[in-house]
Amino acid sequence: MPDLLQIGPISEEMRARLEPVFAIHQTKRYTPDDITHVITNGNLGVTPKIMASLKNLKMISSYGVGYEAIDAVEAARRGIIVTHTPDVLNEEVATTAVLLMLACYREMLRDDAYVRTGKWARMGSAPLTRSAENQTVGILGLGRIGQAIAHKLAPWQPRIVYHARNPKDVAYTYFDNLTAMAFECDVLICITPGGSSTQGIVNAEVMAALGPQGTLINVSRGSVVDEPALIKALSNGTLGWAGLDVFAHEPDVPQALRDLPNTVLLPHVGSATVETRAAMGALTVDNLLQHAENGTVISPVPECAGL
Ligand code: A2R
């Protein structure tokens, strides 16, 4: 029976499918040389120290699509296959992005409070909001989820533009410069991977280009947006609104951000529905079971695709 190191929680359904095949070890009690497989998630990953200590490691199965907390290049160099759970969460994260955008445009939180606090009865109709129809929406990262966001926005008839490392074979307009794209946009939706290549790429300059009537949506990683610059821009009116599912130091969200009325804030729940989390758990386990059976996997990260 191969030995599996469990980093982070797993559901009962996942455990029930793994237990007949793997001896599961918790992080507090295991013998490093025994471990051939690791199950983890996108937030916890595998630290370089743990990875280096597991001399017989063959495979890491990570729950979630982002895997910047795992050194996949080093894993590939050692012949360790890393898998993740792409695609099964595309629609859910795309829905979260659209919800955040609409909530900002139509001031859902302000107007919800308008009813709850009795302002409606005291002061009459709520102030008008902005229409989300026919906006220019810039998507930063037009990958699997970015394309799902573009499709899901269709009923609002947006003009879609995008920035990624390379242009895609799509009908949307490509910008090779993020700031130049932000100048053209009413809304900027971030859905790139995290990690060093995207660290702080949505900076003060990009926010100023988006402008006082602009809306920033982030459903990718908190690290992609310069958070202190965002607080400043939202506070002094350089940027209009922000809808955020992710933050620089989760679960700590700066009080200054929480105090701003022009934000909608979610606790990193982009994919967090019962159905989608079950699908992510199933794929995480399927990768492990298939590897235990015949050494192949279903959804390797690109760095390990050739292994
Ligand atoms: O490599 P490209 O040209 O396909 O662009 C990818 C883009 N991207 C970047 N764009 C600008 N600057 C960068 N430094 C940069 N690095 C990557 O992000 C691609 O268009 C997109 C990522 O797409 P996928 O790999 O299909 O990822 P998926 O499944 O859409 O998930 C995106 C992220 C995850 O990594 C989690 O952080 C989050 O959504 O849940």
Side-chain angles (χ1 to χ4, degrees):
M1 209 178 221
D3 290 81
L4 173 69
L5 176 63
Q6 179 195 333
I7 299 174
I10 61 173
S11 68
E12 284 314 308
E13 291 77 10
M14 292 165 76
R15 184 175 302 284
R17 292 183 62 210
L18 288 168
E19 267 173 352
V21 178
F22 290 95
I24 304 177
H25 303 270
Q26 306 297 318
T27 45
K28 288 198 181 101
R29 254 178 97 92
Y30 68 98
T31 306
D33 284 354
D34 291 346
I35 302 296
T36 52
H37 293 72
V38 168
I39 184 167
T40 184
N41 61 52
N43 293 334
L44 297 172
V46 182
T47 64
K49 194 174 162 196
I50 290 181
M51 190 140 84
S53 73
L54 304 177
K55 303 286 181 229
N56 296 309
L57 186 58
K58 294 190 173 71
M59 189 214 163
I60 299 168
S61 182
S62 184
Y63 173 99
V65 65
Y67 55 94
E68 66 273 16
I70 301 169
D71 186 344
V73 173
E74 169 62 5
R77 190 193 66 75
R78 286 180 52 192
I80 300 163
I81 302 180
V82 180
T83 63
H84 63 154
T85 63
D87 288 317
V88 293
L89 42 56
N90 292 352
E91 298 304 322
E92 216 66 74
V93 179
T95 294
T96 303
V98 175
L99 281 170
L100 281 170
M101 176 181 150
L102 297 179
C104 286
Y105 267 76
R106 298 299 303 271
E107 303 279 5
M108 289 289 276
L109 300 187
R110 184 203 71 187
D111 282 358
D112 178 90
Y114 209 76
V115 177
R116 288 177 199 278
T117 60
K119 267 192 178 175
W120 189 16
R122 280 199 313 277
M123 302 171 68
S125 302
L128 301 181
T129 61
R130 300 174 300 149
S131 175
E133 305 291 328
N134 303 304
Q135 300 298 287
T136 298
V137 179
I139 300 182
L140 168 55
L142 196 75
R144 290 170 292 246
I145 303 173
Q147 300 207 26
I149 292 171
H151 293 150
K152 227 173 253 297
L153 281 171
W156 288 274
Q157 303 179 75
R159 171 182 171 235
I160 302 277
V161 298
Y162 71 101
H163 171 69
R165 288 175 296 197
N166 306 295
K168 319 284 162 211
D169 185 17
V170 291
Y172 316 126
T173 305
Y174 176 67
F175 282 81
D176 64 4
N177 181 286
L178 178 56
T179 306
M181 182 173 85
F183 269 114
E184 294 262 324
C185 291
D186 300 302
V187 188
L188 176 63
I189 300 181
C190 308
I191 187 62
T192 56
S196 55
S197 85
T198 56
Q199 176 83 36
I201 58 173
V202 179
N203 55 24
E205 184 186 84
V206 173
M207 294 171 207
L210 201 48
Q213 290 302 311
T215 301
L216 176 70
I217 304 299
N218 190 6
V219 287
S220 58
R221 290 286 187 259
S223 60
V224 173
V225 174
D226 179 340
E227 201 167 77
L230 176 64
I231 293 168
K232 202 169 163 192
L234 288 167
S235 305
N236 65 21
T238 309
L239 176 66
W241 293 262
L244 309 170
D245 184 42
V246 289
F247 302 90
H249 305 290
E250 296 172 8
D252 297 326
V253 177
Q255 190 62 44
L257 203 47
R258 288 151 62 185
D259 288 343
L260 284 167
N262 47 349
T263 58
V264 178
L265 310 176
L266 298 179
H268 201 153
V269 290
S271 65
T273 63
V274 170
E275 295 84 352
T276 295
R277 288 291 168 89
M280 291 162 62
L283 182 52
T284 308
V285 171
D286 288 345
N287 272 307
L288 281 161
L289 296 181
Q290 184 168 311
H291 190 268
E293 192 179 316
N294 63 21
T296 67
V297 297
I298 302 159
S299 48
V301 302
E303 293 86 341
C304 299
L307 296 181

